[in-house]
Amino acid sequence: MLADYFNRKINIVFLLVIFFIGPSIGAQQRPHSFLPNTKAAIQKKITPTLAAHLQMYEGSKALHKYIVTIASYTTFLSRFKNRAPICKWIYEDKLTGSYIIQTTANFLATNILSDVAVVFADLYQAPHTEAGVIGYYRYHHGVNMVDHVLPFANGKGIVVGVKEQMMDSTDLDLQKRVKYSPTAAINTAPHATTIASLIGGAGNSFYNGRGIAHGCFFYPSSFANVFADDGLVLAQNNVSVQNHSYGTVIQQYYGSEAVSYDAQSWQYKNLVHVFSAGNRGIAAATEGPYAGIVNYANLTGNFKLAKNVITVGAIDGQGNIVPISSAGPAYDGRLVPQLTAVGANGTSDAAAMVSGTVAVMQQVYADSNGHQLPAASLIKAILYNTADEVHQPGIDYKTGYGLLNSYEAVKAIQQKKYLQGSITQSQVWQADIQVPPSSIFKATLAWTDTAAALNNVKALVNDLDLEIVNLSNQTVYKPWVLNATPHLDSLQKAPERKRDSLNTAEQVSISLPTAGSYRIVIKGTAINQGAIPFHVALQIDTLNKFEFTNPRHTSDINRQEESILPLRWKAAVADTNQSGTLAISYNNGMNWQLIASGVKLHRQVFYWPIKDTASVAQFRMETSFGTFLSATVVMSKVLAPQIDFLCSDSFRMSWPKHIYANAYAVYALSDSAYLKNIRTVTDTFAVFNKLIYPYDVYAVRPILADPLTAARSIAININLQSVNCFYKALNYTQLDSNSIQLMLELSTTTYIDSIFFERITANGVVLQMYNGSRVVAGQLQYENTVQDIPVGPQYFRAKIKLTNGAIIFSDMVSIISSGQNSLWIYPNPIATGGTLHYFLRNQQQYFQLQILNSTGQWLKSWEVAFSGSVTLPYLPAGIYFIRLIDSQGSIVGGTKLIIQ
C-alpha cells in the first residue's frame, strides 16, 4: 500500500530526479559514489508528506525548509552547502547527520534527493505551543502531599530545561532562577512563563504560582531548533530534565528528530526529555499503518515517537480525558503517551507537571546518593509504576500507564523501592521478593535503548523481557501488552499478558496475589550493545488502607477560586462496591455532621460544596476496616492586603482581620528568589520605613494557634497599587471652559486632618487657595467646584494636612480655559498649515469656527465641539481673524490670529 502511495505521488518528481542532473552541479562527470539513486531508493528515503509537497510545488521558485539526513560524505557538503541564493543550510544536528536547509522543491528533487549520500528527507514543520493553562489542580497528582509531607523535596539545585519561547525572567515566581542561555529564544511568551511556573514557580505571587520543583533553576532554549539541543552544552549547564510543550503536525514514522533524541538519551543516560503528546486527539494520521483511524495515532511530531522520551497526555479537572489530547500508538505499535496529567486546555501544562516531578525525583535521589543523578530509566520505571489508573483498568493508548502521581513517585525514590542491574545477550537476571497477603503488586522494567536506523519499521534495538514467577506454584506473569493491529476495535481492546517486543518499558501487575515468594526475571532477549543497564520499580499496596490526600493544608481550600472542594483520598480496596461514610466536624471532633453515606472508596474523590463562612474543619471517613481522619484545616477568605499610603520615606500596608489569627507574619521579596518573613505584627496594619525595608513586593500570612495553619495572601507590588502619599488620584471634570470640579480620592483617612485645593503656577507657586474640608474617618472622596478660571493653561493640586501638622501635596493637574471669553486658541502665532487648538466657553451648543483675512474675506469653516483642534490651510504670513458662530448664525466670539 505504501509503495502504491508513492507511485501515485512522486512520478512527476521522479522523472526530474532520474533523468535530469541539475545544471548547477556543472558539466564535469559526477563521482561514482554520487550516481543517482534508483526510483525505489528515493521512495524509501522521503516521507509521503514530502512526496506530495514536491509534486505540488514542481516548477515553483518558492523557498521552503526541508530536513535532509546524509551519510558522512564531505564532498556532498562541499557541493551543496550554502549554494546561495538557491540553497541555504540553516542548522546541523551532529547526532544524526541531519540538516535543516532552505531551497526550492525543484532544487531538492533534482540535485539533492538523487544523491546516494542522502538517506532521509522530510518537509520541515515549524513547532508551536500546545495550548495554555486554564486550571491548576495540585491535588490530582499529590503535589500538595509533597509540599506538606515531604517539604524537603522541592527540586533544589536541579536545572530544568524549557525548550520553546523565552519565559519572563523577571516574573515574581521565576526571577533570579533563569540561567543565561545563548540558545534561548529572542521573544518572551506568556506560555513559556506559565509552563516554567508550573514546573518550578516559587509561589511568591500566590500558592497557585508554586510549582512542584520550586527550588529548581531554569535553562531556556528555543524550539526553533526541533532537534535535540547540544548535549554537551546541556551537560555543562547541569540540565537533567528538559520540557517540550510544543508540537508540529501528526507524523507516524521514526524520523531524524526522533533519532536525535534517542541518540542523545543513549549518550547522556541521566537526561530525561518530557514531551506534550499534542492537541490533535480527534484527528487521524494521513500516513503510516494507522492512517485514517480517527482518535488514535495522532501525536504531533515524530520527535515524540522517540522510544527514550516521556510523552504526556491530558485529563481535565474532573479526571476525564481531554478529547483533543493526542493518543497512540506510535507508528510501530509502541505505547504512547506513557503518562497522563492534568491539562484542562491541552497537553502543554500536563507535560510541565511531569517535568517538575522528574526534577524533584532527581533531587531526592541525589541527596541520598552522593549528589549523583539517577538514570533516566529509573525515573521512567518509577513514574510508570506509581501512576494511578485512569480512563480504564490497565495500560491503554489514550493514557499510557495512567495518571501521574507525584507524591508516590517521589516517595518511591526516597524509600528506594526499586532494583537495578545490567544484562547482556541471552543472560538472565533475577531477584526474589516477598509479597504479603491481601495486597496489590506491580513491577515496571525500564531501560534506555540505542537509536535505531532512520525511518526503521521498528524503533526497538535492544530487547529486554520481564516476567514475574510465583515460586510456590511456578505461575509466570508476563507484562501487559496492547493490541497494535491497525483497526479501531483492536486499538480499544484491553491489554493482554504476553511478551513485549516493542517498548523500552514493561509492566506486570497482579491483583490479590497469593502471599509468598516471587521471582523477578529479566531476560536479555536481543541485545546488540554489550551490557544494557536497567531498573525495576516495585510497588506493593496492602489492602484496606486509607489516607486523605486533599485537603492537607488551608491553602488547598480557596472558595473564591473553587466553590467545590474535591475531597481526595488514597484507598487500596479489592471490591469496587466497598463504601464508607463521610462526615465533617467543626469543633475538633466533638460533634460530626454527615456529608454522605455509601461513598465508593475506589473512586477516591468526593466533591463537597465549601461552607461559605469561616470555620475550622476536619473530615472523617468510616469504613468496614477502620475510621480515618483528615488534617484539620481552616476555611476562610484569603487575606487581601492593601497599601494605605506610599510616601518617599515610608508606606503603610493593612489587611482585614482574620477570625482565628493572633498575629501576622509579613513577607517581602528582598535579594532572594523567594519571599522571606521580615517581621511579625499583632495589628492588622504595619508602617514600614523605606530605609529599613527598601523592597517592592510584600505579602501577609495569619499566624494561628498550633497546629492550625493559614494561607498566605497574594503578593502585591507596592508601586503598582495606584496609591500615592495618602491619596490615590486627583481628577477633574471640566464643566465648561471656565469651571471645573476637582475630585481627590484618598487612600486612607488615618493620620489625615484636612484637605485643601489650590491653583498654582507651573512651578508650584500658589495663586489661589479654596475652602478646605475636614477629613471624616472612612470617607475617601472629596470634591470642590472651581469657577471663573482665568484664560489659558491653569494648574491645580490638592494639599493634604496630616494630624501631626505635616503637609502632603498631590500631583498637579493641568487644564486650559477660555476664561471669560467665548473662545481661546493656541498657539498664536502659528506656522502656516499648522494645527490650531481651540477651547470654547459653552459646550452645550453647535458652533462653527471660521477664519477670515484682514479684509474680512471668509477663507474656511469648521464645525466644532467644546474643545479640539483644526488644521489650517496654507496661507501667506499675516494677521487673520478667528470667528465663532452659534447655531443661530450670531457671532458669539472671536480673536486675532497671527500666521508666520
Side-chain angles (χ1 to χ4, degrees), residues 366-418:
D367 285 350
S368 60
N369 287 275
H371 305 292
Q372 296 297 310
L373 289 171
S377 56
L378 173 59
I379 294 294
K380 290 188 285 186
I382 288 180
L383 283 174
Y384 304 162
N385 205 61
T386 56
D388 296 324
E389 283 192 348
V390 64
H391 181 50
Q392 62 186 37
I395 61 175
D396 63 80
Y397 288 125
K398 294 282 188 179
T399 63
Y401 292 99
L403 178 65
L404 169 71
N405 190 320
S406 302
Y407 174 64
E408 291 296 332
V410 174
K411 191 169 66 171
I413 279 276
Q414 180 200 35
Q415 298 178 356
K416 302 186 185 301
K417 294 182 179 180
Y418 55 86

Short mmCIF file of all heavy atoms in Angstrom, two decimals, residues 366-418:
data_model
loop_
_atom_site.label_atom_id
_atom_site.label_comp_id
_atom_site.label_asym_id
_atom_site.label_seq_id
_atom_site.Cartn_x
_atom_site.Cartn_y
_atom_site.Cartn_z
N ALA A 366 19.53 12.36 44.37
CA ALA A 366 20.88 12.90 44.51
C ALA A 366 21.23 13.17 45.97
O ALA A 366 22.38 12.98 46.38
CB ALA A 366 21.02 14.17 43.67
N ASP A 367 20.26 13.60 46.76
CA ASP A 367 20.51 13.91 48.17
C ASP A 367 20.99 12.70 48.96
O ASP A 367 21.70 12.84 49.95
CB ASP A 367 19.24 14.47 48.82
CG ASP A 367 18.97 15.92 48.40
OD1 ASP A 367 19.85 16.53 47.77
OD2 ASP A 367 17.87 16.41 48.70
N SER A 368 20.60 11.51 48.54
CA SER A 368 21.00 10.30 49.27
C SER A 368 21.96 9.41 48.49
O SER A 368 22.21 8.28 48.89
CB SER A 368 19.75 9.50 49.67
OG SER A 368 19.02 9.12 48.51
N ASN A 369 22.48 9.92 47.36
CA ASN A 369 23.41 9.13 46.54
C ASN A 369 24.62 9.95 46.13
O ASN A 369 25.05 9.92 44.96
CB ASN A 369 22.68 8.59 45.31
CG ASN A 369 21.71 7.47 45.64
OD1 ASN A 369 22.09 6.31 45.73
ND2 ASN A 369 20.46 7.83 45.86
N GLY A 370 25.18 10.67 47.09
CA GLY A 370 26.41 11.40 46.83
C GLY A 370 26.29 12.43 45.73
O GLY A 370 27.25 12.66 44.99
N HIS A 371 25.11 13.06 45.59
CA HIS A 371 24.85 14.12 44.60
C HIS A 371 24.91 13.59 43.15
O HIS A 371 25.02 14.38 42.22
CB HIS A 371 25.81 15.28 44.77
CG HIS A 371 25.80 15.86 46.16
ND1 HIS A 371 24.72 16.53 46.66
CD2 HIS A 371 26.73 15.84 47.15
CE1 HIS A 371 24.97 16.92 47.91
NE2 HIS A 371 26.19 16.50 48.22
N GLN A 372 24.83 12.27 43.01
CA GLN A 372 24.78 11.70 41.67
C GLN A 372 23.33 11.66 41.18
O GLN A 372 22.42 11.36 41.95
CB GLN A 372 25.35 10.27 41.66
CG GLN A 372 26.82 10.19 42.01
CD GLN A 372 27.69 10.93 41.00
OE1 GLN A 372 27.56 10.72 39.80
NE2 GLN A 372 28.56 11.79 41.51
N LEU A 373 23.11 11.97 39.91
CA LEU A 373 21.76 11.96 39.37
C LEU A 373 21.31 10.54 39.05
O LEU A 373 22.14 9.70 38.68
CB LEU A 373 21.69 12.82 38.10
CG LEU A 373 21.80 14.33 38.31
CD1 LEU A 373 21.94 15.04 36.97
CD2 LEU A 373 20.57 14.86 39.05
N PRO A 374 20.02 10.26 39.14
CA PRO A 374 19.53 8.93 38.79
C PRO A 374 19.50 8.74 37.28
O PRO A 374 19.41 9.70 36.51
CB PRO A 374 18.11 8.94 39.36
CG PRO A 374 17.69 10.38 39.29
CD PRO A 374 18.94 11.16 39.59
N ALA A 375 19.57 7.50 36.85
CA ALA A 375 19.43 7.18 35.44
C ALA A 375 18.01 7.49 34.98
O ALA A 375 17.05 7.36 35.74
CB ALA A 375 19.76 5.72 35.18
N ALA A 376 17.87 7.89 33.73
CA ALA A 376 16.54 8.16 33.18
C ALA A 376 15.67 6.91 33.24
O ALA A 376 14.45 7.01 33.43
CB ALA A 376 16.66 8.66 31.74
N SER A 377 16.27 5.74 33.11
CA SER A 377 15.50 4.50 33.17
C SER A 377 14.87 4.29 34.54
O SER A 377 13.76 3.76 34.66
CB SER A 377 16.39 3.31 32.80
OG SER A 377 17.53 3.25 33.62
N LEU A 378 15.56 4.72 35.62
CA LEU A 378 14.97 4.62 36.95
C LEU A 378 13.80 5.58 37.09
O LEU A 378 12.75 5.22 37.63
CB LEU A 378 16.04 4.92 38.01
CG LEU A 378 15.52 5.03 39.46
CD1 LEU A 378 14.85 3.74 39.87
CD2 LEU A 378 16.66 5.39 40.40
N ILE A 379 13.97 6.81 36.61
CA ILE A 379 12.89 7.80 36.68
C ILE A 379 11.65 7.27 35.97
O ILE A 379 10.53 7.33 36.49
CB ILE A 379 13.34 9.13 36.05
CG1 ILE A 379 14.47 9.77 36.88
CG2 ILE A 379 12.16 10.08 35.90
CD1 ILE A 379 14.07 10.20 38.26
N LYS A 380 11.83 6.74 34.77
CA LYS A 380 10.68 6.26 33.99
C LYS A 380 10.04 5.05 34.65
O LYS A 380 8.81 4.94 34.72
CB LYS A 380 11.12 5.95 32.56
CG LYS A 380 11.45 7.20 31.76
CD LYS A 380 11.68 6.91 30.29
CE LYS A 380 13.02 6.26 30.06
NZ LYS A 380 13.31 6.11 28.61
N ALA A 381 10.85 4.12 35.16
CA ALA A 381 10.29 2.93 35.79
C ALA A 381 9.40 3.32 36.97
O ALA A 381 8.29 2.78 37.14
CB ALA A 381 11.42 2.01 36.25
N ILE A 382 9.85 4.26 37.78
CA ILE A 382 9.07 4.66 38.96
C ILE A 382 7.84 5.47 38.56
O ILE A 382 6.74 5.27 39.11
CB ILE A 382 9.96 5.43 39.94
CG1 ILE A 382 10.94 4.47 40.60
CG2 ILE A 382 9.13 6.15 40.99
CD1 ILE A 382 11.87 5.10 41.60
N LEU A 383 7.98 6.39 37.62
CA LEU A 383 6.82 7.17 37.19
C LEU A 383 5.72 6.27 36.65
O LEU A 383 4.54 6.44 36.99
CB LEU A 383 7.23 8.18 36.11
CG LEU A 383 7.96 9.43 36.56
CD1 LEU A 383 8.42 10.24 35.35
CD2 LEU A 383 7.07 10.30 37.46
N TYR A 384 6.08 5.31 35.82
CA TYR A 384 5.08 4.42 35.23
C TYR A 384 4.49 3.49 36.29
O TYR A 384 3.31 3.14 36.24
CB TYR A 384 5.70 3.59 34.11
CG TYR A 384 6.35 4.40 33.00
CD1 TYR A 384 7.25 3.81 32.12
CD2 TYR A 384 6.09 5.75 32.84
CE1 TYR A 384 7.86 4.54 31.10
CE2 TYR A 384 6.69 6.49 31.83
CZ TYR A 384 7.59 5.88 30.97
OH TYR A 384 8.20 6.60 29.98
N ASN A 385 5.31 3.09 37.25
CA ASN A 385 4.87 2.12 38.25
C ASN A 385 3.96 2.73 39.30
O ASN A 385 3.10 2.05 39.86
CB ASN A 385 6.08 1.49 38.93
CG ASN A 385 5.78 0.11 39.48
OD1 ASN A 385 5.44 -0.79 38.73
ND2 ASN A 385 5.92 -0.06 40.78
N THR A 386 4.13 4.03 39.55
CA THR A 386 3.32 4.69 40.59
C THR A 386 2.11 5.42 40.01
O THR A 386 1.33 5.99 40.78
CB THR A 386 4.18 5.70 41.38
OG1 THR A 386 4.77 6.64 40.45
CG2 THR A 386 5.28 5.00 42.15
N ALA A 387 1.95 5.41 38.70
CA ALA A 387 0.81 6.10 38.08
C ALA A 387 -0.50 5.46 38.51
O ALA A 387 -0.59 4.24 38.69
CB ALA A 387 0.94 6.07 36.56
N ASP A 388 -1.51 6.28 38.68
CA ASP A 388 -2.84 5.81 39.07
C ASP A 388 -3.65 5.45 37.83
O ASP A 388 -3.51 6.08 36.78
CB ASP A 388 -3.59 6.88 39.86
CG ASP A 388 -2.90 7.19 41.19
OD1 ASP A 388 -2.36 6.26 41.80
OD2 ASP A 388 -2.93 8.36 41.59
N GLU A 389 -4.52 4.46 37.99
CA GLU A 389 -5.39 4.09 36.89
C GLU A 389 -6.35 5.23 36.56
O GLU A 389 -6.89 5.89 37.44
CB GLU A 389 -6.17 2.82 37.21
CG GLU A 389 -5.36 1.56 37.10
CD GLU A 389 -6.23 0.31 37.13
OE1 GLU A 389 -7.42 0.44 37.48
OE2 GLU A 389 -5.72 -0.76 36.80
N VAL A 390 -6.55 5.45 35.27
CA VAL A 390 -7.48 6.46 34.81
C VAL A 390 -8.03 5.99 33.47
O VAL A 390 -7.37 5.22 32.77
CB VAL A 390 -6.76 7.84 34.66
CG1 VAL A 390 -5.70 7.79 33.61
CG2 VAL A 390 -7.75 8.96 34.38
N HIS A 391 -9.20 6.38 33.13
CA HIS A 391 -9.85 6.02 31.87
C HIS A 391 -10.37 4.58 31.90
O HIS A 391 -11.56 4.35 31.78
CB HIS A 391 -8.91 6.23 30.69
CG HIS A 391 -9.50 5.90 29.35
ND1 HIS A 391 -10.71 6.38 28.96
CD2 HIS A 391 -9.05 5.12 28.33
CE1 HIS A 391 -10.99 5.93 27.75
NE2 HIS A 391 -10.00 5.16 27.35
N GLN A 392 -9.47 3.59 32.04
CA GLN A 392 -9.89 2.19 32.10
C GLN A 392 -8.78 1.40 32.77
O GLN A 392 -7.64 1.84 32.83
CB GLN A 392 -10.18 1.64 30.71
CG GLN A 392 -8.99 1.63 29.76
CD GLN A 392 -9.38 1.22 28.35
OE1 GLN A 392 -10.45 1.57 27.86
NE2 GLN A 392 -8.51 0.47 27.69
N PRO A 393 -9.09 0.21 33.31
CA PRO A 393 -8.06 -0.57 34.01
C PRO A 393 -6.90 -0.93 33.07
O PRO A 393 -7.10 -1.28 31.91
CB PRO A 393 -8.82 -1.82 34.45
CG PRO A 393 -10.25 -1.41 34.50
CD PRO A 393 -10.42 -0.43 33.39
N GLY A 394 -5.69 -0.83 33.59
CA GLY A 394 -4.52 -1.23 32.83
C GLY A 394 -4.05 -0.16 31.86
O GLY A 394 -4.58 0.95 31.79
N ILE A 395 -3.05 -0.50 31.06
CA ILE A 395 -2.49 0.43 30.10
C ILE A 395 -3.43 0.61 28.90
O ILE A 395 -4.25 -0.27 28.60
CB ILE A 395 -1.10 -0.03 29.62
CG1 ILE A 395 -1.21 -1.40 28.93
CG2 ILE A 395 -0.13 -0.10 30.79
CD1 ILE A 395 0.11 -1.87 28.32
N ASP A 396 -3.31 1.74 28.23
CA ASP A 396 -4.09 1.98 27.02
C ASP A 396 -3.42 3.07 26.21
O ASP A 396 -2.55 3.78 26.70
CB ASP A 396 -5.54 2.35 27.35
CG ASP A 396 -5.65 3.64 28.13
OD1 ASP A 396 -5.56 4.71 27.50
OD2 ASP A 396 -5.79 3.58 29.36
N TYR A 397 -3.83 3.19 24.95
CA TYR A 397 -3.20 4.15 24.03
C TYR A 397 -3.64 5.59 24.26
O TYR A 397 -3.13 6.50 23.60
CB TYR A 397 -3.50 3.75 22.59
CG TYR A 397 -2.75 2.53 22.12
CD1 TYR A 397 -3.44 1.43 21.59
CD2 TYR A 397 -1.37 2.48 22.19
CE1 TYR A 397 -2.75 0.31 21.14
CE2 TYR A 397 -0.67 1.36 21.75
CZ TYR A 397 -1.37 0.27 21.23
OH TYR A 397 -0.68 -0.83 20.80
N LYS A 398 -4.59 5.83 25.17
CA LYS A 398 -5.02 7.19 25.46
C LYS A 398 -4.25 7.78 26.65
O LYS A 398 -3.87 8.95 26.62
CB LYS A 398 -6.52 7.21 25.79
CG LYS A 398 -7.43 6.85 24.63
CD LYS A 398 -7.58 8.00 23.67
CE LYS A 398 -8.64 7.70 22.63
NZ LYS A 398 -8.84 8.82 21.68
N THR A 399 -4.04 6.95 27.68
CA THR A 399 -3.44 7.47 28.92
C THR A 399 -2.16 6.77 29.32
O THR A 399 -1.59 7.08 30.36
CB THR A 399 -4.45 7.36 30.08
OG1 THR A 399 -4.74 5.96 30.30
CG2 THR A 399 -5.74 8.08 29.76
N GLY A 400 -1.69 5.84 28.53
CA GLY A 400 -0.44 5.15 28.83
C GLY A 400 -0.54 4.30 30.08
O GLY A 400 -1.47 3.51 30.24
N TYR A 401 0.42 4.47 31.00
CA TYR A 401 0.43 3.71 32.24
C TYR A 401 -0.51 4.32 33.28
O TYR A 401 -0.73 3.72 34.33
CB TYR A 401 1.85 3.64 32.81
CG TYR A 401 2.78 2.81 31.96
CD1 TYR A 401 3.64 3.41 31.06
CD2 TYR A 401 2.77 1.42 32.03
CE1 TYR A 401 4.48 2.65 30.26
CE2 TYR A 401 3.60 0.65 31.25
CZ TYR A 401 4.46 1.27 30.36
OH TYR A 401 5.29 0.51 29.55
N GLY A 402 -1.05 5.52 33.00
CA GLY A 402 -2.02 6.09 33.91
C GLY A 402 -1.72 7.53 34.26
O GLY A 402 -0.92 8.22 33.60
N LEU A 403 -2.34 8.00 35.34
CA LEU A 403 -2.27 9.39 35.79
C LEU A 403 -1.07 9.59 36.71
O LEU A 403 -0.86 8.84 37.66
CB LEU A 403 -3.55 9.76 36.53
CG LEU A 403 -3.65 11.15 37.13
CD1 LEU A 403 -3.65 12.21 36.05
CD2 LEU A 403 -4.89 11.28 38.01
N LEU A 404 -0.28 10.60 36.41
CA LEU A 404 0.88 10.95 37.21
C LEU A 404 0.51 11.06 38.69
O LEU A 404 -0.46 11.72 39.06
CB LEU A 404 1.44 12.29 36.73
CG LEU A 404 2.51 12.96 37.63
CD1 LEU A 404 3.81 12.20 37.55
CD2 LEU A 404 2.69 14.42 37.21
N ASN A 405 1.30 10.39 39.54
CA ASN A 405 1.15 10.54 40.99
C ASN A 405 2.50 11.00 41.54
O ASN A 405 3.39 10.21 41.82
CB ASN A 405 0.74 9.22 41.65
CG ASN A 405 0.33 9.41 43.11
OD1 ASN A 405 0.95 10.16 43.84
ND2 ASN A 405 -0.71 8.70 43.52
N SER A 406 2.66 12.31 41.63
CA SER A 406 3.94 12.90 42.03
C SER A 406 4.36 12.44 43.42
O SER A 406 5.53 12.13 43.66
CB SER A 406 3.84 14.42 41.99
OG SER A 406 3.47 14.88 40.71
N TYR A 407 3.42 12.40 44.34
CA TYR A 407 3.75 12.04 45.72
C TYR A 407 4.28 10.61 45.80
O TYR A 407 5.32 10.36 46.43
CB TYR A 407 2.51 12.21 46.59
CG TYR A 407 2.69 11.73 48.01
CD1 TYR A 407 3.61 12.34 48.87
CD2 TYR A 407 1.95 10.66 48.50
CE1 TYR A 407 3.78 11.90 50.17
CE2 TYR A 407 2.10 10.22 49.80
CZ TYR A 407 3.02 10.83 50.63
OH TYR A 407 3.19 10.39 51.92
N GLU A 408 3.57 9.68 45.18
CA GLU A 408 4.00 8.29 45.25
C GLU A 408 5.33 8.09 44.53
O GLU A 408 6.17 7.29 44.95
CB GLU A 408 2.93 7.37 44.64
CG GLU A 408 1.66 7.28 45.46
CD GLU A 408 1.87 6.66 46.83
OE1 GLU A 408 2.81 5.85 46.98
OE2 GLU A 408 1.09 6.98 47.75
N ALA A 409 5.55 8.83 43.43
CA ALA A 409 6.81 8.70 42.70
C ALA A 409 7.99 9.20 43.52
O ALA A 409 9.04 8.55 43.61
CB ALA A 409 6.72 9.47 41.38
N VAL A 410 7.82 10.37 44.15
CA VAL A 410 8.91 10.91 44.98
C VAL A 410 9.15 10.01 46.18
O VAL A 410 10.31 9.75 46.56
CB VAL A 410 8.57 12.35 45.42
CG1 VAL A 410 9.61 12.87 46.40
CG2 VAL A 410 8.48 13.27 44.21
N LYS A 411 8.08 9.52 46.78
CA LYS A 411 8.21 8.65 47.94
C LYS A 411 8.92 7.34 47.58
O LYS A 411 9.72 6.82 48.36
CB LYS A 411 6.83 8.37 48.54
CG LYS A 411 6.88 7.70 49.90
CD LYS A 411 5.52 7.69 50.57
CE LYS A 411 4.53 6.82 49.81
NZ LYS A 411 3.27 6.63 50.56
N ALA A 412 8.63 6.81 46.38
CA ALA A 412 9.28 5.57 45.94
C ALA A 412 10.78 5.76 45.76
O ALA A 412 11.59 4.88 46.08
CB ALA A 412 8.65 5.08 44.64
N ILE A 413 11.17 6.94 45.23
CA ILE A 413 12.61 7.26 45.11
C ILE A 413 13.24 7.35 46.50
O ILE A 413 14.31 6.80 46.77
CB ILE A 413 12.81 8.57 44.35
CG1 ILE A 413 12.71 8.33 42.83
CG2 ILE A 413 14.14 9.21 44.68
CD1 ILE A 413 13.98 7.86 42.17
N GLN A 414 12.55 8.05 47.39
CA GLN A 414 13.07 8.25 48.75
C GLN A 414 13.21 6.93 49.49
O GLN A 414 14.22 6.69 50.18
CB GLN A 414 12.13 9.18 49.52
CG GLN A 414 12.57 9.46 50.95
CD GLN A 414 11.41 9.96 51.79
OE1 GLN A 414 10.28 9.55 51.60
NE2 GLN A 414 11.71 10.86 52.72
N GLN A 415 12.26 6.05 49.33
CA GLN A 415 12.25 4.77 50.05
C GLN A 415 12.95 3.66 49.27
O GLN A 415 12.94 2.51 49.70
CB GLN A 415 10.81 4.38 50.38
CG GLN A 415 10.12 5.38 51.29
CD GLN A 415 8.67 5.02 51.59
OE1 GLN A 415 8.13 4.05 51.05
NE2 GLN A 415 8.04 5.81 52.44
N LYS A 416 13.55 4.03 48.12
CA LYS A 416 14.35 3.09 47.31
C LYS A 416 13.56 1.82 46.95
O LYS A 416 14.03 0.68 47.11
CB LYS A 416 15.65 2.73 48.03
CG LYS A 416 16.52 3.93 48.37
CD LYS A 416 17.84 3.51 48.95
CE LYS A 416 18.66 4.71 49.41
NZ LYS A 416 18.95 5.67 48.33
N LYS A 417 12.36 2.04 46.43
CA LYS A 417 11.52 0.92 46.02
C LYS A 417 11.84 0.51 44.58
O LYS A 417 11.02 0.60 43.67
CB LYS A 417 10.04 1.30 46.14
CG LYS A 417 9.58 1.54 47.57
CD LYS A 417 8.10 1.87 47.61
CE LYS A 417 7.60 2.08 49.02
NZ LYS A 417 6.13 2.40 49.06
N TYR A 418 13.06 0.09 44.37
CA TYR A 418 13.49 -0.29 43.03
C TYR A 418 14.70 -1.21 43.11
O TYR A 418 15.38 -1.31 44.14
CB TYR A 418 13.84 0.95 42.20
CG TYR A 418 14.88 1.84 42.83
CD1 TYR A 418 16.25 1.61 42.66
CD2 TYR A 418 14.50 2.95 43.59
CE1 TYR A 418 17.20 2.43 43.25
CE2 TYR A 418 15.45 3.78 44.18
CZ TYR A 418 16.79 3.52 44.00
OH TYR A 418 17.73 4.33 44.57
#
